[in-house]
Amino acid sequence: MKIFPTGCVVFTSSPAGAMPCPFSVIYGSSKAFITEFATSLAGEVRLQGIDVLVAHPSPVDTNFYHAPSASKSASVTFFRKTASPPTVICDYMFRTVGRYTCVVEQGYFAFMQKFIFKVLDPSFFASLLMVFSWTTAEYKTLTQDRKKK
């Protein structure tokens, strides 16, 4: 039976939801929730003709990067330099609507992450982050901030 979409719900998540995010715990876990919610919802509403899409864009040039805390993070600074304009992400999502593709990855980071997890087991990757997170600029900034308080 062929179902033609009569509606669409689009969620914006992140590749961060599929990997450990030390020092961005709330961000990564909220993105994991959004992806799980959208993929589960897609199965419930497909027969009503509703297309559910969750996008995992690579960095997007938004006001996220202009927050005072963003300049403290070395990883956020790196991603800001490689961010795509919002129009690129919107165009990509609209081209995907109606194809019953639930999760779409856009840009270099999402594809690199998928490749890395084909080579490295995500549990092993998490262990590496756990062992080496203290060497990151984020860790150093966090410990300095805690000492000031």
Side-chain angles (χ1 to χ4, degrees), residues 9-13 17 29-46 50-56 102-103:
V9 180
V10 179
F11 295 92
T12 305
S13 186
S29 57
S30 67
K31 297 305 180 177
F33 170 81
I34 291 169
T35 299
E36 171 62 27
F37 181 80
T39 55
S40 296
L41 181 63
E44 291 184 23
V45 299
R46 182 173 187 270
I50 300 171
D51 194 11
V52 176
L53 175 71
V54 59
H56 292 171
C102 190
V103 180

Side-chain angles (χ1 to χ4, degrees), residues 19-104:
M19 60 186 282
C21 295
F23 316 111
S24 298
V25 175
I26 299 299
Y27 179 80
S29 57
S30 67
K31 297 305 180 177
F33 170 81
I34 291 169
T35 299
E36 171 62 27
F37 181 80
T39 55
S40 296
L41 181 63
E44 291 184 23
V45 299
R46 182 173 187 270
L47 291 178
Q48 285 80 36
I50 300 171
D51 194 11
V52 176
L53 175 71
V54 59
H56 292 171
S58 286
V60 181
D61 189 13
T62 64
N63 287 337
F64 173 82
Y65 294 107
H66 302 293
S69 60
S71 62
K72 294 180 182 179
S73 170
S75 58
V76 171
T77 301
F78 167 77
F79 286 125
R80 181 179 186 188
K81 292 176 185 175
T82 63
S84 298
T87 54
V88 170
I89 310 313
C90 290
D91 290 345
Y92 190 79
M93 289 189 300
F94 280 118
R95 282 194 308 265
T96 309
V97 170
R99 297 184 183 179
Y100 289 113
T101 301
C102 190
V103 180
V104 293

Side-chain angles (χ1 to χ4, degrees), residues 3 86 144:
I3 311 273
Q144 287 173 356

